Amino acid sequence: MNTANVKLILSREIRDQLRDRRTLFMMFVLPILLYPLLGMSFVQIQQFTQEKPTTVLVVGANHLTDLPRLFENGRFAPELFSDPSRAKLLELHFPPDDPSKTLAEQRAEAQRAVQAGQYDVAICFPETFAEEAERFERTIRDVNARQEEDPDAGPAAAGVKHPPICEPETFYTTANDKSNIAQSRLDEVWNHWNQQRIETNLAAAGLPVEAVRPVELRRSDVADETPYRGAALWSKILPVLLLIWALTGAFYPAVDLCAGEKERGTLETLLSSPAERSEIVLGKLLTIMLFSMVTAALNIASVGLTGWLVFGRLPEFGPPPPAAIVWLAVALVPVSALFSALCLALAAFARSTKEGQYYLMPLLIITMPLAVMPMAPGVELTLGNSLIPVTGVVLLLRSVLEGGYWQALQFLPVVVAVTLAACLLAIRWAVEQFNSESVLFRESERLDVGLWLQHLVRDRQPTPTAMEALFCAALILLIRFFIGSSMQSPEDLAGFAKLAIVTQLVVIAAPPLLMTIVLTGSPRETLLLKPPRGMMAVPAAIVLALLLHPVVNVLQIAVQSLYPINEDVLQALKGVETMLRGAPLWKLMLVVAVMPAICEELAFRGFILSGFRHLGHKWRAIVYSAVCFGFAHAVLQQSLMAFLVGVVIGFVAVQTGSIVPGMVFHLVHNCLPLAVGRISPEQYERWPGVRHLMSPVEGGGYLFDWPTVVVAGLLAAGLLVWFGRLKYPKSEEEELRKTIERR
Amino acid sequence: MIHVDRLVKHYADLRRGRFVALGGISFHARPGQIYGLLGPNGAGKTTALRILSTVLRPTAGTATINGYDVLTQPSKVRHQIGFMSANTAVYDRMTGWEMVEYFGRLHGIAAEQLAERMEHLFDRLKMNDIRDLLGAKMSTGMKQKVSIARAIVHDPPVLIFDEATAGLDVLVARALLNTVAELRDHGKCIIFSTHIMREAEKLCDRVAIVHRGHMLAEGTLEELRSRHHERDLEELFFQLISQHDGAHPPEEEAP
């Protein structure tokens, strides 16, 4: 790679973008104007809603006693509000006294009035309200008097029954915000009024006010040191804002630099210049990254400033901590790099700027959950979370902004490694887009589904294309989702077997088999229905599965401690396990080993792997098919293990050029846990070989000893090397790549 | 200088299935020669020239330019060629001078030498009035001049013009043809594709008539005339194409 060319392309693209008014507006003008305007309108709206008075219809006000005082001068008494000036926010309306109407009629009228929106809220006092309240207080006085005569007698002993407390009723509607606000204001009044009554009653009974709340919980906020005040709020807002703007800031230049160049016809000029594709990609990527970073930085700065001015005065928020800015700047680099590469690849794929713009929404929909998920309460920086791209960065930032430096430092290497890996993958994807002539010279064809389907069948190749493989995997996931959500979880062995067999046949095997028949010319090539290369392939696959079993076991435990299984799922799995324990071994093996070995292999190492082989690199095909295999397993922990096993089986299938060794491996791999799970303590004692390999663990079952795992792992690695040495049949694309590399 | 040997290119096409854009064409071109590729639209000229400019990869066959293979040494090939087609536009937000300078520097020409050469080029192509004009504000003729300057700024031994006169008015087209002829006189090896017979007659030393990915005839204009007993190139062209279509009827008209 020629760095001078990269610099040259970079400086040209930057100048080009700076000469574009739209870019300048998006980058500089919008953020500078947007947040102050939003801040101003926020303040305005806040005032607007706070100052608006709400109306209250008061029915039966004449049934009230005057103790304690509820109304004063046609309003609620000011002492019933924590801020007396708020009394004017509740406008009271008293209907004219009409003796011809019963209270029930008045009540119904009030309800209708609120429903019709004439009043925000209505309150009705029953006719007996004054009477009952008075009786209640009289009773308390009586009890008090008797207790004074006989101090040992409690209220119960005194034979006094408290009369029921009469309840006034309010009408409000949750369908209307104003009504909700009015009701909450009324609640405030009512609480204060009740409090006053309590105090009067307690005083009458000769009890201190503290009697009703003997122990108060005192709360002290320790996060009151100045730098961290408001940190909780800012640590949630700022990282998400950073991500959104890093993405948006990358997207528009990317579309202009790739799809725009295609549209304007300058891309071919550049491609026929001596600049290498990788230099072009890097030059464009750095430009996009720069713009993404500047956009995000300007937005954060503008938000920070607005926040400082608007929220800085509110004690419960506080201004954003200055240290936050430094940390955000540090995180901005990898985040921008990742988003820029993603945008570049997508934009390179688009035929025109218009098509490019369409990709923003899907991209946002995919990346935003990763950014927003960490905002959910209780989500913290753990090893598992730090392994998720984007999410890890956000959580790390949050941790730092909240002052958790030590925790952040612990997970820093993991987050950095994951982010770097994600960046590299995205960059590779972008380079690939620039190397693909079908992407660079895609001609605008009008979409014609009939024509396209006809093309799929008519021009079918011996094996499926990579897109068809991807579609097959997506179809499997989709059918699985619908069948999974429509079928009930099995209650007995027969039900379990039925579900498993239906899943294998309908979900896993049917789509690839149908697609093989319709879309490919050679089912034999596609599904690798050929004898394996090398006589020893099948026995070697059996031995490999046996040797890998202890390693898989250890990894399984590691995965489960890294991502602990959800309690509900664990219960469900336990239930299935106990149900299966009593089943005959051969039936069980048929359902959980033989069926998957056949169906899953045909799908994932047959159709899907064959399709991905057209990508031109066997490892890419193996990994992609393993990812699909992983996704096809429902529980995350199973998916991770399935991915790893999928890589091994995919490798075996490619190296041997046959589906058979993979099927055998799969069969043995699925049978082993069943067999090991059935070892009874007597058998364990009786078989000396087993005792040397594994030890019993608490709570039943056995675990492989470390020496077993290490030795088996080494032997398995040796066997994999043997598989790697087999001369495997290459796809056309793999041959082409080899030829180019060799020269 | 240019050796094309049984070049094949297939595309996947929704309507036509596996579409053969090039069915194995071969030709050679020497320095100081203008080699014309003649053919109707959709004949495969652009595909062939895109392969020569390393923008597309051939499905089969080989092509070398000045000894470098287009498939395995693409960057070496790109240093040897100046490529200009209807699809190689100029940047809207760059001035004429910036555009030519940019490509000169991508070719690795030292700054001083580049400035000197550009002054010379701008004089020769009479481009000094569009030095500081942005591409977006240029007329088609101005853009064409910038494109030529861009293609020859590194003084390549091989020049490829793909339908370079498409969409130009008579004056601009004539100026372009004169420039091409001048370049030939400077010893460049030039490939010139067109569907306009007059241009071919005026300019080309050798021509190949291409139709639907196949070469129907090849030779100097005189050789073709005497071989097919037809003085008029346009008639000759039409005759060959009708003969070919008669022998291999097209299943469906190319869009």
Side-chain angles (χ1 to χ4, degrees), chain B residues 75-197:
Chain B
S75 58
K76 293 246 168 58
V77 168
R78 287 197 294 270
H79 275 289
Q80 304 296 317
I81 59 166
F83 180 62
M84 191 183 146
S85 82
N87 297 312
T88 49
V90 300
Y91 285 108
D92 279 349
R93 301 191 283 261
M94 255 180 145
T95 66
W97 184 267
E98 285 169 350
M99 168 98 187
V100 180
E101 189 188 27
Y102 175 55
F103 282 90
R105 287 180 61 190
L106 279 180
H107 277 285
I109 308 171
E112 276 175 37
Q113 196 191 352
L114 180 62
E116 199 180 309
R117 194 177 292 170
M118 281 175 63
E119 288 293 351
H120 178 69
L121 257 182
F122 273 64
D123 283 340
R124 190 170 127 207
L125 295 170
K126 300 190 183 62
M127 292 169 54
N128 281 316
D129 52 336
I130 54 169
R131 251 178 204 248
D132 299 320
L133 196 64
L134 285 181
K137 303 209 165 131
M138 288 180 194
S139 68
T140 320
M142 291 172 183
K143 285 183 182 166
Q144 209 65 16
K145 281 184 183 175
V146 175
S147 280
I148 294 176
R150 188 266 305 159
I152 61 178
V153 65
H154 56 296
D155 198 23
V158 173
L159 284 159
I160 300 171
F161 292 91
D162 180 22
E163 308 250 355
T165 54
L168 299 185
D169 68 33
V170 185
L171 292 178
V172 181
R174 194 184 162 87
L176 179 93
L177 295 184
N178 287 340
T179 314
V180 174
E182 251 175 61
L183 286 166
R184 182 236 341 250
D185 299 339
H186 282 89
K188 306 286 180 202
C189 173
I190 296 172
I191 296 202
F192 190 90
S193 91
T194 182
H195 60 272
I196 304 168
M197 297 306 128

Side-chain angles (χ1 to χ4, degrees), chain A residues 53-126:
Chain A
T54 40
T55 51
V56 184
L57 178 69
V58 185
V59 178
N62 49 339
H63 308 311
L64 273 172
T65 45
D66 214 28
L67 198 93
R69 190 168 62 146
L70 190 57
F71 301 114
E72 185 190 293
N73 300 332
R75 283 192 184 140
F76 284 115
E79 66 264 22
L80 298 177
F81 293 87
S82 35
D83 175 4
S85 66
R86 288 171 60 81
K88 64 174 184 291
L89 293 181
L90 284 170
E91 280 176 9
L92 305 188
H93 295 262
F94 299 92
D97 219 9
D98 185 356
S100 67
K101 280 185 195 160
T102 64
L103 186 75
E105 281 167 352
Q106 289 184 358
R107 191 177 156 275
E109 264 178 25
Q111 192 175 347
R112 275 198 300 276
V114 172
Q115 272 171 342
Q118 287 171 328
Y119 299 98
D120 296 318
V121 65
I123 181 163
C124 295
F125 293 98

Side-chain angles (χ1 to χ4, degrees), chain A residues 256 265 273 437 441 458-459, chain B residues 9 14 57 78 87 93:
Chain A
D256 189 58
S273 84
E437 45 190 64
F441 296 100
R458 181 194 51 207
D459 304 319
Chain B
K9 180 72 186 174
L14 281 194
R57 279 191 291 265
R78 287 197 294 270
N87 297 312
R93 301 191 283 261

Side-chain angles (χ1 to χ4, degrees), chain A residues 49-327:
Chain A
T49 50
Q50 271 180 354
E51 294 307 320
K52 202 105 177 175
T54 40
T55 51
V56 184
L57 178 69
V58 185
V59 178
N62 49 339
H63 308 311
L64 273 172
T65 45
D66 214 28
L67 198 93
R69 190 168 62 146
L70 190 57
F71 301 114
E72 185 190 293
N73 300 332
R75 283 192 184 140
F76 284 115
E79 66 264 22
L80 298 177
F81 293 87
S82 35
D83 175 4
S85 66
R86 288 171 60 81
K88 64 174 184 291
L89 293 181
L90 284 170
E91 280 176 9
L92 305 188
H93 295 262
F94 299 92
D97 219 9
D98 185 356
S100 67
K101 280 185 195 160
T102 64
L103 186 75
E105 281 167 352
Q106 289 184 358
R107 191 177 156 275
E109 264 178 25
Q111 192 175 347
R112 275 198 300 276
V114 172
Q115 272 171 342
Q118 287 171 328
Y119 299 98
D120 296 318
V121 65
I123 181 163
C124 295
F125 293 98
E127 280 157 336
T128 53
F129 186 75
E131 207 179 296
E132 282 173 12
E134 226 242 308
R135 197 168 59 216
F136 181 80
E137 269 150 38
R138 206 171 46 232
T139 318
I140 289 175
R141 277 199 299 276
D142 286 354
V143 173
N144 200 25
R146 271 178 232 181
Q147 272 182 322
E148 268 170 22
E149 286 166 20
D150 177 8
D152 291 339
V160 182
K161 266 176 85 181
H162 284 284
I165 303 167
C166 42
E167 285 168 345
E169 195 176 5
T170 68
F171 297 107
Y172 74 110
T173 160
T174 44
N176 183 336
D177 274 347
K178 234 179 133 194
S179 180
N180 283 321
I181 292 171
Q183 177 60 44
S184 65
R185 286 174 184 166
L186 206 57
D187 285 341
E188 188 192 344
V189 171
W190 205 252
N191 279 339
H192 277 96
W193 194 66
N194 254 341
Q195 186 63 32
Q196 286 185 8
R197 280 191 62 180
I198 289 169
E199 282 169 22
T200 337
N201 290 343
L202 286 173
L207 288 171
V209 180
E210 289 73 24
V212 286
R213 298 190 80 169
V215 183
E216 279 277 4
L217 194 62
R218 194 174 59 192
R219 312 200 307 184
S220 333
D221 185 2
V222 291
D224 54 358
E225 300 149 57
T226 33
Y228 300 123
R229 196 197 282 161
L233 173 81
W234 293 112
S235 65
K236 281 184 179 169
I237 291 182
L238 292 181
V240 174
L241 214 65
L242 180 90
L243 290 176
I244 291 178
W245 281 106
L247 183 62
T248 317
F251 192 79
Y252 290 101
V255 168
D256 189 58
L257 288 181
C258 297
E261 278 218 29
K262 257 194 215 179
E263 200 172 52
R264 294 188 291 268
T266 46
L267 192 62
E268 204 175 329
T269 322
L270 188 60
L271 290 178
S272 60
S273 84
E276 296 281 346
R277 303 277 161 101
S278 53
E279 292 162 9
I280 297 175
V281 171
L282 198 59
K284 285 185 186 287
L285 180 72
L286 290 175
T287 316
I288 296 166
M289 220 177 119
L290 182 78
F291 278 78
S292 155
M293 283 166 60
V294 172
T295 310
L298 276 177
N299 276 281
I300 293 286
S302 183
V303 167
L305 199 69
T306 313
W308 196 282
L309 294 173
V310 175
F311 294 105
R313 298 193 204 128
L314 306 177
E316 65 268 38
F317 288 130
I325 307 300
V326 179
W327 290 111

